[in-house]
Amino acid sequence: MAAAAPAVDGVPGRGPPGEVIHLNVGGKRFSTSRQTLTWIPDSFFSSLLSGRISTLKDETGAIFIDRDPTVFAPILNFLRTKELDPRGVHGSSLLHEAQFYGLTPLVRRLQLLEELDRSSCGNVLFNGYLPPPVFPVKRRNRHSLVGPQQAGGRPAPVRRSNTMPPNLGNAGLLGRMLDEKSPPSPSGLPEEPGMVRLVCGHHSWIAVAYSQFLVCYRLKEASGWQLVFSSPRLDWPIERLALTARVLGGALGEHDKMVAAATGSEILLWALQPEGGGSEIGVFHLGVPVEALFFVGNQLIATSHTGRIGVWNAVTKHWQVQEVQPITSYDAAGSFLLLGCSNGSIYYVDVQKFPLRMKDNDLLVSELYRDPAEDGVTALSVYLTPKTSDSGNWIEIAYGTSSGGVRVIVQHPETVGSGPQLFQTFTVHRSPVTKIMLSEKHLISVCADSNHVRTWSVTRFRGMISTQPGSTPLASFKILALESADGHGGCSAGNDIGPYGERDDQQVFIQKVVPSASQLFVRLSSTGQRVCSVRSVDGSPTTAFTVLECEGSRRLGSRPRRYLLTGQANGSLAMWDLTTAMDGLGQAPGGLTEEELMEQLEQCDLAPLASSRGSLPSPSPRTSLTSLHSAFSNTSLSSRRGSPSPPQAEARRRGGGSFVERCQELVRSGPEPRRPPTPAPRPSSGLGAPLAPPKMKLNETSF
């Protein structure tokens, strides 16, 4: 063995090419020659061995390098043979280490390998791409007058469980000119004016909101998606967005298609023209911050947690405000609007009967039911059974409370005079229920404890809910989604996890793990099973998303399609075919694997994270990087019926402490936190052999 050259101040001196160099990388010893380490000029090793970088030696005299020894092994093999053998090491980890060591030939080779997995045309689920629109120069005239308004109404075709968005306080005062510098967002990323803040869809129309303007697209059978409307430039950032798109030839004429935007207490409403263009209907004021904005048919509804509801009525042609109890949740089914309030009451209004139920210019808001314990109603879901269409007297409502209770109430013809009757109660949640969905086959609830999801199978007889055997537990899982206080770039309303959809077999949650993620995971709402995962084709972070139920074309054999719409930080909009993903459902794991979870968490600083368990009830848990917005495991009840392990053994197997502490421990267990600049897109999974029926046992824990 050649003698080591003398060292000066702990730095190895220059020596012969054949000199043996001993390295201690992360506690593991490696031995190689000086020539092997230094054949790439201007690398970390050439600087280290030439004395340009100071060194630290262990007790044996080996040069200590505080890096991952597992990743260093294939790097050293490349320096020896000039051949790449990953040996099971993740590509992004290998690229990160190669960049650290300054090994340019290896970096170029790894980047080329990543390019092979990346396609600007997406995968088989990628359906379309809309580039960022042109920023409008013209400012809106703040003295616009209310235009003509026609009559009519139509029930909203999509029903979803909703909780009130968080109170934004004086968020409307934050509007600034786009040429002024925007403050950094809570996620740590700059709030870009061209970033997609909100996206929503209805039938064959899409509305996309940016910081100070919005655009609308329409799907045409032959030419695809076309830009048909762009609003003037506004003086404040858009915080809420709503769209309704009726079929051609509707009763309201030009008002069959409308889009509304809100910030603070101000609401703007436009009428859209089918062939392009639009006109401002009017500007309305709620007087308090608007926290929910939506259409029920052609009636525009705005609500606030303070207990105020505003309605723009297409028949009475004016804006109307009504005081109710503090509102904590809402749902719309058909022409019914139900409001859950903090006093435990559920109020309802039939929006189609607004003109017939007016008295002294006030809405007749009727109390439908009061919770037996008077707990606040924090989530609502209405299911209209086939009996409803025959007699109009059968209605089923599921609601969640601030104490974590889940109740189902039923009104049938025999109880019309006395109101709905309590049907079933579940007390499986220990935190406020934030979302709930009652459908034909399933009851789904989500609580504020890291968005823990519980699902039940619903038994029905002749379309009506039955007590024999009643609702039976189906699955328990969580959906991890770390979010900043106002979402990516300052708007949390565009990152609602769902559930989306009407049909039981197609209801899904959309999971975005960290605020700056470019990858989304689509999971069945009933079992947590993964449907697919999609990654932005241009590598930019996803800032808003929704699911669009798009009507089918007139062509023979055509059927309605479902699309996942993702708005990106660079202002573009991507579309993904969920219908194809559902047709090929199978082979994908139940949720995120541990490797996928850690890859996502590498993009987020977990240091300030804290568990949200035990927090006070909130209409919609407003999370920051100090709280978990949703959760991480997927465990079916059937998997626990096998051979349960003792709690102590289970705790040791999964790691002690809360979920956040376990995540932090996983991050600390590595040699160092790795943060690649932008994770390279990976092909999404989710297509393959058909999935077994939902009754299959989910005996796998996932994230």
Side-chain angles (χ1 to χ4, degrees), residues 397-590:
I397 300 173
Y399 71 91
T401 68
S402 57
S403 63
V406 175
R407 302 186 193 273
V408 179
I409 58 177
V410 177
Q411 176 175 291
H412 44 84
E414 292 78 8
T415 63
V416 169
S418 58
Q421 301 297 309
L422 182 62
F423 178 80
Q424 205 163 12
T425 299
F426 302 96
T427 56
V428 296
H429 294 294
R430 299 182 60 189
S431 299
V433 177
T434 59
K435 293 178 179 295
I436 199 164
M437 170 67 78
L438 176 63
S439 57
E440 180 182 2
K441 299 179 181 178
H442 298 128
L443 171 63
I444 301 167
S445 64
V446 185
C447 79
D449 181 13
S450 302
N451 270 11
H452 178 213
V453 183
R454 285 295 303 266
T455 66
W456 294 265
S457 296
V458 176
T459 304
R460 294 189 176 276
F461 177 71
R462 294 181 179 177
M464 295 171 286
I465 196 167
S466 171
T467 56
Q468 301 296 330
S471 302
T472 56
L474 177 62
S476 172
F477 59 94
K478 295 184 179 181
I479 310 235
L480 177 67
L482 306 177
E483 276 296 341
S484 57
D486 292 312
H488 182 109
C491 193
S492 62
N495 291 270
D496 183 12
I497 64 171
Y500 295 91
E502 280 290 308
R503 294 173 51 186
D504 290 87
D505 57 344
Q506 293 189 352
Q507 287 179 358
V508 294
F509 286 112
I510 307 299
Q511 178 181 13
K512 186 176 79 167
V513 179
V514 295
S516 58
S518 59
Q519 185 176 16
L520 300 180
F521 297 88
V522 182
R523 300 173 62 179
L524 285 178
S525 60
S526 58
T527 63
Q529 177 73 19
R530 186 194 302 187
V531 177
C532 64
S533 63
V534 300
R535 194 186 293 264
S536 61
V537 294
D538 52 16
S540 63
T542 299
T543 55
F545 53 83
T546 191
V547 173
L548 170 64
E549 310 278 349
C550 193
E551 57 192 6
S553 68
R554 299 183 180 89
R555 295 176 180 175
L556 184 64
S558 175
R559 59 171 177 164
R561 310 291 295 185
R562 302 179 75 219
Y563 298 102
L564 170 61
L565 309 178
T566 60
Q568 310 302 135
N570 61 6
S572 63
L573 186 73
M575 305 172 193
W576 310 86
D577 189 352
L578 288 187
T579 303
T580 299
M582 297 298 296
D583 291 343
L585 183 62
Q587 294 187 355

Side-chain angles (χ1 to χ4, degrees), residues 36 39-41 43 45 70-87 89-115:
T36 298
W39 68 268
I40 299 179
S43 67
F45 300 108
T70 304
V71 185
F72 181 75
I75 288 179
L76 181 58
N77 185 69
F78 172 79
L79 292 174
R80 288 168 173 164
T81 65
K82 298 181 175 61
E83 294 180 359
L84 180 59
D85 180 15
R87 300 182 184 180
V89 178
H90 197 276
S92 62
S93 302
L94 197 57
L95 175 59
H96 184 271
E97 292 298 286
Q99 291 172 333
F100 171 80
Y101 292 120
L103 306 178
T104 305
L106 180 57
V107 170
R108 291 175 179 172
R109 186 173 300 188
L110 292 171
Q111 288 175 340
L112 179 59
L113 290 176
E114 284 196 344
E115 289 295 331

Side-chain angles (χ1 to χ4, degrees), residues 589-609:
L592 274 74
T593 64
E594 290 190 11
E595 180 182 354
E596 290 172 326
L597 176 66
M598 295 309 303
E599 180 184 355
Q600 296 290 319
L601 294 180
E602 285 170 359
Q603 308 171 54
C604 177
D605 183 10
L606 293 178
L609 281 175

